[in-house]
Amino acid sequence: MKEYIGVLDSGVGGLSVLSELVMTMPKGKFLYFGDTKNMPYGTKTPEQIYSYTKKILQFFVEKNVKNVVFACNTTSAVAYDRLNREFSGVLKIFPLIQTVAKSAAENLNDNDVLAVFATRATVNSHKYETEIKRYFPAINVDEIDCTGFVEIVENRLYQDKEAFDLIKSKIDLALSAGAKRVVLGCTHYPYLLDMFKSVDCNIEYFNPAGCLAKIVKLQANLDSSFYENDGKIEFFVSKNPEEFRKSASAFFDIQGTINLID
Ligand code: DGL
């Protein structure tokens, strides 16, 4: 049986991670799950996010997935610890925040401010702050709740004035905190980079996806059949496959069927 890497997110955001994984492992076989029925995750409770993610992991296990990438900061923040215990020995899971925290703060000086744009659930968990401070205790981490950004991407509101104003208000917060760098702490946000840069292009925006993909390649338990697949990707969503294709089309050309799984 062929082996896959499973990649999950609430919607199209995880495609920003999938693109990097495919670039890093072009012949690998990937299975992507966008939980569009339950999106956005960021305004849900940790218990809800845990149960949505658990269902996806059970589906992955049925599909012979051995390695899973949480291409979702929110799930990594609030559900990883518990799920990693429950699926130990069955799945090797790569949680986004914990895997990239060190790189996110590299080359900053003590007392520098690192802003993190993230969903409300991620901000409330303080997972970025906790993980970054394990490596760099003297860096100030300012986690900023960017509720509403996910909808800009999912609903393709790139030309919308209110969307622009919302983005500007969050960048103003980062600037007034003195941030040198902003971590894009939600996988939907790299798709807003042009909008971010149109507000301020002096801040450094850090997209963790590239770093995550390199670590997955080094650490995943893959047998040689994974690399004999010519980069096939299978897509699954829990609602509205065609809407998913439309939202993705601004940055990811999805060929073939998007399967609907309830
Ligand atoms: N893209 C996800 C993240 O990285 C989830 C966003 C959401 O559904 O609120 O957090």
Side-chain angles (χ1 to χ4, degrees):
M1 208 173 178
K2 290 272 167 71
E3 199 178 311
Y4 300 81
I5 290 183
V7 181
L8 65 84
D9 183 43
S10 62
V12 296
L15 297 174
S16 64
V17 173
L18 182 65
S19 310
E20 294 290 336
L21 288 165
V22 170
M23 254 192 293
T24 312
M25 293 171 274
K27 288 196 162 182
K29 182 147 179 139
F30 296 94
L31 211 152
Y32 185 90
F33 196 106
D35 193 5
T36 44
K37 187 167 87 181
N38 297 309
M39 183 265 304
Y41 278 6
T43 49
K44 306 293 189 323
T45 66
E47 196 57 35
Q48 286 173 309
I49 297 162
Y50 158 80
S51 70
Y52 304 148
T53 312
K54 182 166 184 170
K55 209 170 152 193
I56 302 170
L57 294 186
Q58 284 162 339
F59 170 73
F60 280 165
V61 171
E62 283 164 28
K63 288 279 188 185
N64 197 37
V65 166
K66 300 272 167 46
N67 295 273
V68 176
V69 179
F70 279 6
C72 175
N73 292 262
T74 309
T75 292
S76 306
V78 306
Y80 167 71
D81 292 339
R82 196 164 156 198
L83 290 168
N84 192 42
R85 275 197 302 277
E86 290 177 10
F87 285 84
S88 114
V90 181
L91 292 174
K92 182 168 173 61
I93 303 176
F94 292 87
L96 207 160
I97 301 173
Q98 297 85 331
T99 310
V100 306
K102 187 162 182 257
S103 307
E106 232 138 45
N107 304 321
L108 292 178
N109 298 315
D110 285 358
N111 302 316
D112 277 352
V113 177
L114 175 65
V116 179
F117 284 178
T119 66
R120 181 165 304 150
T122 301
V123 168
N124 288 344
S125 76
H126 296 296
K127 199 67 177 175
Y128 264 104
E129 184 175 22
T130 309
E131 291 295 317
I132 287 168
K133 284 197 177 273
R134 280 164 43 145
Y135 303 102
F136 304 103
I139 283 178
N140 298 306
V141 180
D142 185 24
E143 295 158 297
I144 298 175
D145 176 351
C146 294
T147 298
F149 281 17
V150 166
E151 287 80 354
I152 301 174
V153 177
E154 292 286 345
N155 301 322
R156 309 177 289 284
L157 302 173
Y158 303 111
Q159 309 301 328
D160 186 271
K161 167 88 172 68
E162 266 178 48
F164 178 83
D165 289 346
L166 179 66
I167 284 175
K168 183 170 180 332
S169 72
K170 303 301 176 181
I171 291 181
D172 286 345
L173 283 178
L175 288 170
S176 55
K180 293 206 161 157
R181 182 181 296 163
V182 172
V183 177
L184 305 180
C186 168
T187 53
H188 283 75
Y189 300 173
Y191 297 127
L192 298 172
L193 205 52
D194 287 347
M195 291 177 89
F196 293 156
K197 286 187 176 164
S198 74
V199 176
D200 188 287
C201 56
N202 294 318
I203 303 186
E204 182 195 347
Y205 298 99
F206 178 78
N207 175 5
C211 160
L212 176 64
K214 282 193 198 109
I215 294 176
V216 172
K217 184 178 182 188
L218 287 174
Q219 297 182 2
N221 301 322
L222 297 164
D223 73 25
S224 57
S225 73
F226 172 75
Y227 287 107
E228 291 158 10
N229 293 298
D230 286 331
K232 296 242 169 53
I233 308 173
E234 288 180 33
F235 289 92
F236 296 84
V237 295
S238 49
K239 196 178 164 187
N240 287 344
E242 287 318 310
E243 196 57 21
F244 178 87
R245 191 192 303 276
K246 249 197 245 164
S247 299
S249 67
F251 38 78
F252 202 106
D253 183 21
I254 298 179
Q255 306 282 338
T257 316
I258 300 173
N259 303 284
L260 179 64
I261 297 281
D262 191 25

